[in-house]
Amino acid sequence: MSDQRDSVVEYISERFAQEDDLLKTILKNQEAGGGPMMNIGPDQGKFLELLVKLIKPKNILEVGSYYGYSSVWIARALSSLREADATKQSNAKLHCIEVSKPQCEILAEHFKLTDLEDCTQIHHGSGIDIMQRMIDEGKIFEMIFVDADKANYSNYLDLAAKLIPSGGLLLVDNCLWSGKVVDPEIKDKQTQAIRDFNDKLAAHPDFDSCIVTIQDGLAFAVKN
Ligand SMILES: C[S@@+](CC[C@H](N)C(=O)[O-])C[C@H]1O[C@@H](n2cnc3c(N)ncnc32)[C@H](O)[C@@H]1O
């Protein structure tokens, strides 16, 4: 199944979601770093880009940025919206929360490399702490993309509900967890945390939601 899935993603990305040299450099640096290749796929990057162009958010929040592969897809869409703004007043920004200090430094380098420094802001710290601070400061994000520690997914949902205005969009990655969520024999903590999140989102009175079966499952929730 995974071979067939890889070919399908390749088929889509060759036609609709080609990675340029800068995105390829980010992936090369990620590989050279020796950590897991836990970035989103190119098809999903393109999907996020299209969503940004559709929603035209003023501010986007990403929780969990790693080397910045997903951030660059999102921030490039914001940058193209800024360029298309006839009034040249758009100040749309992607705010990235990343708990790892070394990753924050790499992220900053990658935003410089891709000329996206103007429309990005990096926040070093835990997603929970920084989202809570943003709530206290009255910040609003028309789009939030969560791709961080699975154990906190349900907490991120509570916080996102306070940061997203009516009509805004919450996206959460890895909600199918390689299909483990549907296997009752699998009972590890991460899988259970994602199941709990999925159930909580499905029943949440503030969101109308579903899971899109792109890559590892992307929860897609519109705030009522
Ligand atoms: C799956 S990777 C993100 C991949 C990235 N979104 C992409 O597609 O290129 C998860 C990231 O979340 C970060 N992370 C883990 N726990 C976190 C937390 N509590 N708060 C903020 N970031 C966290 C990790 O350091 C890691 O960089």
Side-chain angles (χ1 to χ4, degrees):
M1 177 62 195
S2 106
D3 279 355
Q4 194 185 345
R5 212 196 69 147
D6 290 350
S7 315
V8 167
V9 170
E10 209 171 293
Y11 177 88
I12 296 170
S13 65
E14 271 171 9
R15 283 158 186 77
F16 298 98
Q18 285 171 10
E19 289 156 339
D20 67 359
D21 287 345
L22 292 173
L23 279 169
K24 284 180 188 160
T25 300
I26 292 174
L27 291 179
K28 269 188 208 143
N29 291 346
Q30 192 175 295
E31 205 172 355
M37 296 300 282
M38 53 183 177
N39 54 283
I40 60 166
D43 51 339
Q44 198 175 351
K46 184 70 190 184
F47 186 58
L48 294 178
E49 178 193 307
L50 293 174
L51 287 174
V52 173
K53 288 181 175 171
L54 188 69
I55 300 169
K56 299 184 176 52
K58 288 199 193 81
N59 282 300
I60 303 177
L61 181 63
E62 178 179 69
V63 189
S65 300
Y66 203 35
Y67 280 72
Y69 181 84
S70 56
S71 326
V72 166
W73 278 101
I74 295 168
R76 279 183 167 169
L78 273 187
S79 173
S80 76
L81 287 178
R82 276 190 182 201
E83 278 165 26
D85 175 25
T87 67
K88 297 287 167 222
Q89 306 221 313
S90 167
N91 200 23
K93 244 184 194 168
L94 169 67
H95 293 256
C96 300
I97 305 179
E98 174 52 58
V99 76
S100 151
K101 185 73 180 159
Q103 289 311 144
C104 287
E105 284 158 15
I106 293 168
L107 257 186
E109 278 171 30
H110 285 164
F111 291 152
K112 197 170 175 189
L113 181 76
T114 47
D115 205 14
L116 289 166
E117 286 167 300
D118 259 14
C119 48
T120 52
Q121 189 171 333
I122 300 166
H123 304 261
H124 172 228
S126 88
I128 301 286
D129 292 350
I130 293 176
M131 287 171 88
Q132 187 55 59
R133 196 179 70 210
M134 288 169 161
I135 292 167
D136 297 342
E137 291 169 356
K139 296 270 183 349
I140 290 291
F141 297 92
E142 292 83 4
M143 181 170 156
I144 297 183
F145 174 53
V146 178
D147 189 14
D149 49 327
K150 312 309 168 200
N152 271 315
Y153 266 22
S154 290
N155 295 326
Y156 292 138
L157 174 56
D158 292 336
L159 295 164
K162 296 179 184 159
L163 287 166
I164 300 178
S166 174
L169 181 63
L170 171 64
L171 300 160
V172 182
D173 201 23
N174 306 108
C175 286
L176 295 177
W177 207 225
S178 307
K180 286 187 235 171
V181 290
V182 298
D183 184 342
E185 298 301 313
I186 298 179
K187 295 184 172 122
D188 65 273
K189 278 188 185 161
Q190 290 203 85
T191 306
Q192 197 47 50
I194 295 172
R195 283 191 193 115
D196 291 346
F197 164 79
N198 288 340
D199 291 347
K200 186 167 173 169
L201 179 63
H204 204 296
D206 293 345
F207 287 100
D208 199 1
S209 53
C210 195
I211 294 177
V212 181
T213 52
I214 190 169
Q215 291 282 342
D216 197 21
L218 181 69
F220 190 105
V222 179
K223 178 99 182 279
N224 295 326

